[in-house]
Every structure is written in C-alpha cells, then in structure tokens.
Amino acid sequence: MLLCATRSWASAQTHCWGLPAHKAAQSKPIRIARAGSDATTSAQQVQTESSTAPYSYILPRQAIAMFASGAVLGPFCDGLHSQYDVLHYEHPSVQLQLALGPLHWSFETCWWVPLLFGVAGVIIGVSVPLMDSILHQRSQEQSMQLPAQQAATSDQQQYQQQQGSGSTPDTSWSAVLLCISLFVIQYGLSGLLEKPLLGQTLGNTAVPALDSALAAYALLHWCAFDRMPLGFGMAALTAVCGPLVETWLINGFGLYHYSHAAVLGVPTWIPWVYFCGGPAVGHLGRRVWQELAADAGQQTHSA
C-alpha cells in the first residue's frame, strides 16, 4: 500500500512540472544493455544531458518538488514515532486517533513540521544531483584535454568500470520508490522496537541493541541503493546535522520531547534514522533531476 501511494505521489510530481507520463515511463537507469560502444555511448549521452541542462530551468523546479515531497513524507514518518510513544509535541496542531477493530493508529504533528521537513528535502534533494552534475562536468572537461581517441577510450573504460563495480546507482522509479519504502520501514521499526529493546545491549558490550540494529539497516540500505562516496558523505552529514537541529529545537525552544531521551534530549539511535534517509531523499532528487533535465533538453531541441 505504501509503495502504491508513493508511486502515485511521484507520478503527480511528474505531471506537476509538465512532464508527460510516457516520458517518465520511458526514462530508464543508465546501464550497459549489451557489449560494445553503442550501449556505452547511449548511456553517456543520457548522463551528459542530465549534467549539462540549464540550472536556471532545473534548480527552481527541483527545489519546489523536493520541498513538496519532504513536506508530505516527513510528517508521515514522524507520525510513526508519535504513534509508538517515542516522541510528543508540546503543543500539537493536529492530533488524530483512528481505530479499526484491533488496529489503532494515531497521528500527531505541528504546523511547522512540514516546513522543516520540506527544507531538509530541498537541502539533500538538490545538493546530491547538483554535485553529481558538477563532478560529471569536471570529468568531461578533463577528458576534452586528451586526444579524441584517447578520451573516448578513457570515458568508455571508466564507465564500464563503474558499471562493473556497481558504483553507479540505479535511479529508475522502481528503485527510487523501493529505496524510499525501505527507509519508511526503518523509521517505523525505530519506533516499534524502542520499548522492547530499551536498556538492552549487544552481547557483553555496552553498545545499545537498537542502535546496532538500526546502524546495520542504514549501512545496508546505502550499500544496496547508493554505494557512491558522495551519497555516503551526504548521509553522514545528515546523521550529524539532523540530531543537532533537534537538540536546538528541544532545548532551545521546547517544541517537543522524546520519551526516552539519552543525550541532549535525543535518543542515541536517531542518527541512524537520519543516515538511512540520506540515500532515500538523494535518490529521489536524482530521479527528479533527470526528469527535469530530459524535459529541458527536449525543449532546447524543439526550439
């Protein structure tokens, strides 16, 4: 159900920017479909088009799309924590209690929460594809300094090595939606498992069991969907900055509180939830960027 809802939201984002549905369906991840230079050249053309599209066209649309996605997905995930009594707001703007037979669902949030998650979506969802584009342009500029035949051979070998090592992430819609869905699952597990694992450690060590489980999940999530140094750096930066912002909101403004806070008002496992969110938001940003770049390229060719 979650995957279907996310897919519907992604389709709505595509239409919002005037991107035809058939274009989104035809857009595929960069892969070498067969041996030979034709497949490599075709894939490189897609990546080049994405990196050379005008920023003036892409950036404002990218920012709005990522703000909207963060403003929707963020409060939904945050509501999972309030449902499991992990987090509560001091003055919630919205409180819902729904019961369907044995199933109970609660939702708690404030008016500023969508704005905060929206800004976070912009920071990650714009930075990751923008840095991808800048790094690719630099690589092209270096290749242009080589003789034509040597540059072509170097580009082909580099691309094949990236594909063979699995370092190029799959940014198809199916991969992006799966990545986001697994992040939401980790978000929910952090709330579901907090009470059962509270105070428990890993073996004879002092490492909290929940921290270990969420850390392993987050690292496997990055390995499965990103595997790029840039993606790891963004995930690590998110894992540091996210909790710092939370301590500021909790201790400086008293806007909400965690039921089992450990350090400066936040639990020790929360950085791993932020880490897991890095590839999810970054992946979505890459997919939206590619759609916008393809649309910009088509408009340039038709002009």
Side-chain angles (χ1 to χ4, degrees):
M1 181 179 297
L2 175 60
L3 185 58
C4 293
T6 311
R7 185 185 297 273
S8 299
W9 167 85
S11 178
Q13 288 293 322
T14 303
H15 286 289
C16 177
W17 304 117
L19 302 178
H22 68 276
K23 184 186 300 182
Q26 292 173 353
S27 182
K28 298 179 179 179
I30 301 173
R31 294 176 179 172
I32 298 179
R34 63 179 187 278
S37 61
D38 291 343
T40 303
T41 302
S42 175
Q44 289 174 336
Q45 287 174 348
V46 174
Q47 189 175 13
T48 300
E49 185 180 54
S50 176
S51 63
T52 58
Y55 291 155
S56 61
Y57 178 88
I58 293 179
L59 286 177
R61 292 165 173 80
Q62 179 85 9
I64 295 174
M66 295 311 301
F67 181 90
S69 62
V72 172
L73 184 62
F76 171 80
C77 292
D78 193 57
L80 296 174
H81 277 177
S82 61
Q83 178 181 358
Y84 294 115
D85 193 33
V86 172
L87 172 151
H88 293 287
Y89 294 93
E90 302 301 337
H91 304 286
S93 302
V94 178
Q95 280 185 304
L96 299 176
Q97 296 285 340
L98 301 177
L100 183 61
L103 301 178
H104 296 271
W105 181 77
S106 61
F107 180 79
E108 179 181 327
T109 190
C110 282
W111 63 267
W112 50 266
V113 174
L115 303 179
L116 191 65
F117 277 107
V119 171
V122 172
I123 294 174
I124 303 174
V126 173
S127 299
V128 171
L130 179 61
M131 289 301 299
D132 283 343
S133 176
I134 293 174
L135 292 175
H136 182 68
Q137 287 182 0
R138 289 181 179 179
S139 177
Q140 284 187 314
E141 292 172 357
Q142 293 176 357
S143 298
M144 290 176 63
Q145 298 175 0
L146 301 174
Q149 184 62 34
Q150 183 180 355
T153 303
S154 176
D155 285 347
Q156 182 174 347
Q157 290 177 348
Q158 181 181 8
Y159 179 77
Q160 289 176 341
Q161 288 174 357
Q162 290 176 343
Q163 291 290 335
S165 63
S167 60
T168 303
D170 181 2
T171 54
S172 63
W173 273 119
S174 59
V176 170
L177 297 181
L178 180 59
C179 181
I180 294 173
S181 299
L182 290 176
F183 163 61
V184 174
I185 290 175
Q186 194 237 31
Y187 211 117
L189 287 175
S190 67
L192 179 65
L193 297 177
E194 188 192 40
K195 285 185 178 180
L197 297 181
L198 188 64
Q200 297 189 24
T201 59
L202 189 64
N204 296 324
T205 68
V207 179
L210 182 57
D211 296 48
S212 303
L214 295 179
Y217 191 115
L219 292 172
L220 288 173
H221 186 260
W222 173 80
C223 290
F225 294 99
D226 197 300
R227 304 181 302 277
M228 301 288 285
L230 174 62
F232 185 89
M234 182 58 69
L237 184 62
T238 304
V240 172
C241 294
L244 288 178
V245 172
E246 288 209 50
T247 59
W248 177 57
L249 295 174
I250 293 172
N251 300 306
F253 297 93
L255 296 177
Y256 61 96
H257 66 274
Y258 282 95
S259 300
H260 304 98
V263 180
L264 297 177
V266 299
T268 57
W269 49 261
I270 197 65
W272 295 112
V273 176
Y274 280 102
F275 188 98
C276 192
V281 180
H283 240 43
L284 178 61
R286 284 174 169 137
R287 180 69 260 177
V288 173
W289 184 286
Q290 290 176 8
E291 296 284 356
L292 292 173
D295 187 61
Q298 183 176 0
Q299 291 186 7
T300 301
H301 294 321
S302 61

